[in-house]
Amino acid sequence: MVCRFSTKLLNICISSFCKVQQLEKAEAIIIDGIRLGVLPDVVTYNTLIAAYCRFVGVDAAYSVLHRMREAGINPNVVTYNSLMAGATKHCLLSRSLDLFEEMLQKGIPPDVWSYNSLMHCFFKSGQPDEANRVFEDIILSNIYPCPVTFNTMINGLCKNGYTVNALMLFRNLRRHGFTPPIVTYNILINGLCKSGRLGAARRILKELGESGHMPNAITYTTVMKCCFRSRQFEQGLEIFSEMKEKGYTFDAFAYCTVIGAFVKMGRIKEANECMQRMVSNGIELDMVSYNTLINLYCKEGNLEAAFNLLDEIEKGGLECDKYTHTILIDGLCKAGNIEGAEHHLKYMSMMGFDSNVVAFNCLIDGLCKAGQVDYAMKVFKSIELKDSFTYSSLVHNLCKARRFHSASKLLRSCLRGGMKILRSSQRAVLAGLRSSGFPREARKLQSKIRLAKILHY
DNA sequence: TTAGGGTTAG
């Protein structure tokens, strides 16, 4: 006979294994349980589905759903919520919307988590108006919003460029008695930092202190990153020291932020020390951590170590991403191995990665630095996607090669396209034209630049 | 079950 207590115990075990990502052990326990007459229930399958969504992928979670149905257990609102959250996390946005529709068709009433996922999905697919409509529906319906609803809304608004609206929502919620948890503060501080509203971010940070909350490691990492991003390295390092003094635990996010900053400052020795501390502290390395390490190896000129690590990662079953390959392409270019970089670009494409503007920018810059400006121009013409880095780099390098007319022509086409270009590159063209005896062309170009500023900036 | 911080190029 199956007793409920046994299934409850089974579920506790499954949950424990799922939390530490030991899904095979969780599956094995289910088989053992069935053998002993303890049958899995909807909670067992939901726990597994959530874990597969989180650690593996939505397809793996669907195979559990299939087994669940075969066992005669119907999915409930939690099942759908997990699948929706998983689909949104893995950017399968239409799948997430389909799941919501399927839920309605099957007569399963969505709860606040379903709506939260739906909003998240709309924001992630760049449809803030649709997300806002869902939010209004929640407010006007009898579904009670939870803090996650507000956080999803504030985060989505920030990520879609509506930081001012996010700040207004935060203020309105506070006025109506909502006491924001630390997560809300972190979301808002991050959004404000990333949109360059550092003053507003500082004010929210001050409010956080006054609210009686303590900033957590995420708050510190966010503000530290913000300093590094705006090249206020010393200020960022002060936060790093404060974190250490106050005894905050460093996770992969905090270490990667600091290592990345040391690498950017050219302080490779300190970056290395940090990396060793991260490894010796037993931090489990994910793909971003590995990318940070590969970047460190490349910047210290140790391409061999970088490629060895790439092999190790691939053999270990972790999938390298576009960042890994772009870092390696840049490393090869910086080491003067243009042939290797081109070869790796082909490898990247063979692996199914889309055309990557950053990787091509590295190659164009590398070619210029190797004196192959004509070839760089050929690559430039062959690529569809170009950004301000592409133009700035090529204009700068054409000036260095004293090809001011070509640089001027390129700068004009960039301005016509409404693309921003580094001021130093603009100045280099103007100065070059003047010094090489073409002041009239320099004046004409200057007025084009002014016009573009009025039109686009 | 859901929301927040980290990796690439001038």
Side-chain angles (χ1 to χ4, degrees):
Chain A
M1 192 187 128
V2 180
C3 79
R4 285 184 55 185
F5 181 69
S6 302
T7 301
K8 211 171 176 181
L9 252 182
L10 172 80
N11 290 341
I12 291 168
C13 291
I14 302 276
S15 171
S16 307
F17 282 123
C18 285
K19 269 182 195 146
V20 290
Q21 227 175 311
Q22 295 188 350
L23 304 190
E24 281 174 16
K25 283 192 179 163
E27 294 272 16
I29 286 186
I30 295 182
I31 295 168
D32 286 346
I34 293 170
R35 225 175 271 145
L36 294 167
V38 181
L39 295 180
D41 64 3
V42 67
V43 177
T44 325
Y45 285 108
N46 284 348
T47 311
L48 262 186
I49 285 173
Y52 274 109
C53 279
R54 191 169 165 206
F55 302 121
V56 187
V58 184
D59 287 334
Y62 265 83
S63 74
V64 181
L65 177 72
H66 184 66
R67 274 156 48 203
M68 180 180 181
R69 284 187 169 130
E70 273 184 343
I73 297 167
N74 286 325
N76 63 10
V77 62
V78 178
T79 324
Y80 278 98
N81 288 348
S82 298
L83 289 167
M84 273 183 78
T88 305
K89 184 185 161 87
H90 293 97
C91 296
L92 302 166
L93 306 170
S94 61
R95 177 96 67 105
S96 185
L97 297 179
D98 289 345
L99 280 160
F100 189 80
E101 284 301 320
E102 190 181 315
M103 211 171 152
L104 295 176
Q105 278 167 14
K106 287 194 183 300
I108 301 170
D111 63 9
V112 66
W113 283 328
S114 327
Y115 284 105
N116 291 346
S117 272
L118 196 60
M119 279 167 45
H120 190 200
C121 178
F122 279 131
F123 273 129
K124 219 170 168 180
S125 54
Q127 300 181 71
D129 291 339
E130 286 299 309
N132 203 40
R133 196 180 52 77
V134 178
F135 183 61
E136 281 170 5
D137 282 350
I138 297 174
I139 301 295
L140 298 172
S141 72
N142 54 2
I143 295 163
Y144 201 77
C146 67
V148 177
T149 316
F150 302 135
N151 292 344
T152 306
M153 201 59 205
I154 292 172
N155 185 41
L157 285 169
C158 288
K159 295 257 161 77
N160 281 269
Y162 297 97
T163 322
V164 177
N165 303 58
L167 196 55
M168 265 160 57
L169 177 61
F170 178 81
R171 295 267 176 252
N172 278 338
L173 289 169
R174 289 209 68 183
R175 220 169 288 138
H176 286 88
F178 171 66
T179 311
I182 180 77
V183 182
T184 318
Y185 283 99
N186 289 346
I187 289 170
L188 194 57
I189 290 169
N190 184 45
L192 292 168
C193 282
K194 281 198 175 144
S195 65
R197 302 169 65 91
L198 306 188
R202 249 180 243 128
R203 279 193 293 280
I204 299 292
L205 195 61
K206 196 168 163 240
E207 279 180 38
L208 168 68
E210 287 162 1
S211 74
H213 278 304
M214 282 287 286
N216 62 13
I218 296 180
T219 327
Y220 273 99
T221 311
T222 304
V223 179
M224 186 164 69
K225 175 69 199 170
C226 175
C227 293
F228 292 143
R229 197 184 291 121
S230 53
R231 307 195 72 78
Q232 297 176 11
F233 290 111
E234 286 313 315
Q235 225 173 313
L237 290 179
E238 275 171 26
I239 297 171
F240 172 52
S241 303
E242 196 181 326
M243 252 181 115
K244 279 196 291 189
E245 277 162 24
K246 290 188 173 167
Y248 280 92
T249 306
F250 278 69
D251 60 7
F253 284 76
Y255 275 118
C256 288
T257 306
V258 178
I259 294 170
F262 276 133
V263 169
K264 277 225 160 66
M265 286 185 273
R267 289 159 67 165
I268 302 296
K269 191 171 164 258
E270 282 146 302
N272 247 316
E273 283 166 7
C274 249
M275 179 194 85
Q276 274 155 21
R277 217 172 303 139
M278 174 163 84
V279 175
S280 64
N281 280 349
I283 306 281
E284 202 178 319
L285 304 185
D286 61 5
M287 209 48 244
V288 179
S289 315
Y290 279 123
N291 288 342
T292 307
L293 300 197
I294 290 176
N295 189 36
L296 170 57
Y297 289 141
C298 286
K299 292 296 188 297
E300 61 185 3
N302 193 349
L303 271 291
E304 200 186 336
F307 276 95
N308 283 343
L309 188 53
L310 175 77
D311 284 343
E312 215 177 286
I313 296 163
E314 286 181 337
K315 275 180 198 148
L318 209 61
E319 264 183 46
C320 291
D321 57 17
K322 64 171 183 178
Y323 286 92
T324 327
H325 297 296
T326 308
I327 290 165
L328 287 165
I329 287 166
D330 185 51
L332 288 163
C333 286
K334 293 266 192 316
N337 185 355
I338 302 293
E339 211 177 302
E342 284 189 288
H343 180 263
H344 204 86
L345 250 169
K346 280 184 195 138
Y347 173 71
M348 201 176 167
S349 155
M350 203 181 76
M351 295 290 282
F353 289 97
D354 288 340
S355 184
N356 180 349
V357 67
V358 182
F360 275 106
N361 287 347
C362 296
L363 180 65
I364 287 172
D365 193 58
L367 282 167
C368 289
K369 290 210 165 68
Q372 300 184 50
V373 183
D374 286 321
Y375 189 25
M377 285 290 277
K378 206 175 153 194
V379 173
F380 173 83
K381 283 174 187 157
S382 74
I383 55 173
E384 269 183 40
L385 205 64
K386 298 167 177 100
D387 64 5
S388 70
F389 271 79
T390 329
Y391 281 98
S392 296
S393 168
L394 204 47
V395 167
H396 169 83
N397 280 300
L398 282 167
C399 287
K400 265 180 87 178
R402 302 194 59 76
R403 292 168 62 169
F404 302 115
H405 288 286
S406 299
S408 173
K409 202 175 154 196
L410 199 61
L411 177 52
R412 280 166 188 248
S413 74
C414 173
L415 295 173
R416 273 195 301 274
M419 198 92 79
K420 283 186 183 179
I421 192 165
L422 266 190
R423 288 199 179 190
S424 58
S425 295
Q426 295 177 18
R427 280 197 297 267
V429 186
L430 292 168
L433 286 172
R434 280 186 206 113
S435 67
S436 56
F438 296 93
R440 196 161 160 261
E441 193 175 335
R443 275 196 301 277
K444 278 164 82 178
L445 182 64
Q446 178 106 57
S447 62
K448 290 270 178 204
I449 292 171
R450 283 201 194 108
L451 197 64
K453 265 186 199 161
I454 296 166
L455 287 172
H456 303 293
Y457 289 86

